[in-house]
Amino acid sequence: MQYKHLIESIDNINFKIDESLAPYTSFKIGGKADLLCEVKDEESLVKLVDAALRYGVDYKILGAGSNVLVGDKGYRGLIIINKISSYTFLPYDDADFQLIRLSSGLGLYALTQELFKQGIYGLESFAGIPATIGGAVYMNMHGDGILFSDIIKSVRLLSNNKIEEKNVDYFNFAYDYSILHETKELVLTCDVLLNKGDVSEAKKRYRELLIKKKYQPQRSAGCIFQNLSKEQQDALNLPTPSIAYIIDKILGMKGVEIGGARISNGHAAFIENFADASAKDVLQLINLVREEVKKETNIELNTEIELIGE
């Protein structure tokens, strides 16, 4: 078998062969991976990546599986599901703040709740986003008026089989972007600076955002398209930079379907898998929206999601 040497080189890892990727994504769409495993500690992740490089096996790390669309023919190589979920308090010279080292597989929802109990806040702006820390760094996740990079102090990366710590300037962070899109380095941990004190207002805001998010479709990848720039919004004289406004109010495309994929009636920037959609259905709907927006506004839409596999 093509992956025999890789499998035999790693102890204490349960590999799955020809495993459907649909259950591992928020879209619930995708073909099979040749090989799949879960990792729960940093040492195993580093060993896996080293073995994949040594034996010439393509690999991809998945966390919560949001913001991705897996192709119908699956992935030729190794998919690693990152379940590394520890965090450590680090010393900091200001008692009003807490520096915390977060593992890349930590889920934001559970982490935010746990930190609230300890009188720490600062993650509430990202309420309801089904992301892990690694994905938040990679995409520079945006929340309620802030970017994830706003709270980052430094990140430990696996780079060319070496572990390196980089400060925030290294990443060239922008809206939905980090330099990791090009370098393909892997996030191991991320140090963030959060607030200490009374969490009551933060918890209130968190609940408000969760209520807003609960109307968003669950079998989706989040917002498919990036919002408009300030210049584009002003040029079109629109009341909001949200691409959902154009799709809904200008194009009237809410509810448009192709196969099992549909532009959500709840939030027009979302495409939902309402009836066993294929990746092909979703891509055709994405292309249709892009064509109609281009025709109506002369704007080329950029997508937020990452395409994986064939």
Side-chain angles (χ1 to χ4, degrees), residues 208-223:
E208 290 171 350
L209 290 172
L210 281 182
I211 290 171
K212 287 174 65 177
K213 293 284 177 66
K214 78 175 185 177
Y215 297 106
Q216 296 177 353
Q218 298 304 302
R219 287 163 61 93
S220 74
C223 289

Side-chain angles (χ1 to χ4, degrees), residues 87 89 95-98 100 111-124 194-200 202-203:
Y87 65 89
F89 291 161
D96 292 330
F97 296 93
Q98 179 65 63
I100 312 179
L111 175 64
T112 305
Q113 299 296 321
E114 178 61 29
L115 293 179
F116 277 156
K117 294 175 185 176
Q118 301 186 57
I120 298 170
Y121 62 99
L123 295 174
E124 60 277 359
L194 301 178
N195 303 284
K196 290 173 67 176
D198 185 352
V199 301
S200 56
K203 290 175 75 172

Side-chain angles (χ1 to χ4, degrees), residues 166-196:
K166 302 287 188 180
N167 65 31
V168 71
D169 294 335
Y170 170 77
F171 294 87
N172 294 338
F173 283 122
Y175 179 82
D176 284 338
Y177 174 81
S178 76
I179 200 171
L180 302 181
H181 290 208
E182 279 75 52
T183 67
K184 305 304 180 184
E185 295 160 300
L186 302 181
V187 176
L188 296 177
T189 61
C190 176
D191 293 356
V192 299
L193 190 63
L194 301 178
N195 303 284
K196 290 173 67 176

